[in-house]
């Protein structure tokens, strides 16, 4: 009986398949925007077509509204092993400056992606919150399934 109880305790404490750590491949793909939060409020905008982010294997990302490309391919880097996972995205060049980098953290839970980012020049967020007065901006996405 003691062996049975010990086996049961280990089985219950063991991480399940759904608890596997994020891998580099988890971020790659097409994600559809659901909500945005900033300054303690929902900042989600109504759009005529869904906003989608595509993270590509070649280290670029593209932003679409429906089928229309809003942002041409730009570079990104990420570290899924960092705690929390890090994501750095290149932004467009300003009128008097070159491209800059936006620092973010992200997490993937099932088919949900949460990104917490700041404007270029600000320190990387340390948590997934965006209270009033914070420079943090949170975006949530759901994975777009590939059509077979």
């Amino acid at each position: 009986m003691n062996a049975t109880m010990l086996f049961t305790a280990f089985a219950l404490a063991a991480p399940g398949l759904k608890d596997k750590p994020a891998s580099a491949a988890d971020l790659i793909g097409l994600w559809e925007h659901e909500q945005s939060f900033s300054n303690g409020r929902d900042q989600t905008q109504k759009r005529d077509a869904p906003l989608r982010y595509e993270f590509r294997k070649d280290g670029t990302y593209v932003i679409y509204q429906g089928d229309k490309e809003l942002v041409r391919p730009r570079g990104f880097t990420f570290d899924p092993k960092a705690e929390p996972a890090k994501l750095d995205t290149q932004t467009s060049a300003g009128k008097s400056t070159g491209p800059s980098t936006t620092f973010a953290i992200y997490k993937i839970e099932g088919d949900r992606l949460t990104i917490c980012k700041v404007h270029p020049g600000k320190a990387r967020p340390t948590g997934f919150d965006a209270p009033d007065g914070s420079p943090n901006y949170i975006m949530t996405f759901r994975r777009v399934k590939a059509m077979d």
Side-chain angles (χ1 to χ4, degrees), residues 25-36:
D26 290 341
L27 182 62
I28 304 303
L30 188 61
W31 299 88
E32 188 169 305
H33 179 259
E34 291 186 320
Q35 282 189 299
S36 294

Side-chain angles (χ1 to χ4, degrees), residues 16 36 38-39:
S36 294
S38 178
N39 283 314

Side-chain angles (χ1 to χ4, degrees), residues 34-94:
E34 291 186 320
Q35 282 189 299
S36 294
F37 295 92
S38 178
N39 283 314
R41 292 184 299 280
D42 188 338
Q43 300 289 335
T44 308
Q45 297 177 13
K46 298 285 185 201
R47 299 180 183 275
D48 293 332
L51 184 68
R52 294 182 173 151
Y53 279 51
E54 179 183 22
F55 293 96
R56 298 175 173 174
K57 290 180 185 178
D58 68 358
T60 62
Y61 75 102
V62 179
I63 302 174
Y64 302 95
Q65 184 168 334
D67 294 331
K68 180 183 176 190
E69 188 177 278
L70 289 181
V71 174
R72 294 178 36 205
R74 297 180 181 167
F76 76 95
T77 59
F78 64 111
D79 181 0
K81 294 180 181 172
E83 189 56 47
K86 296 178 184 179
L87 173 66
D88 299 338
T89 56
Q90 186 179 19
T91 65
S92 62

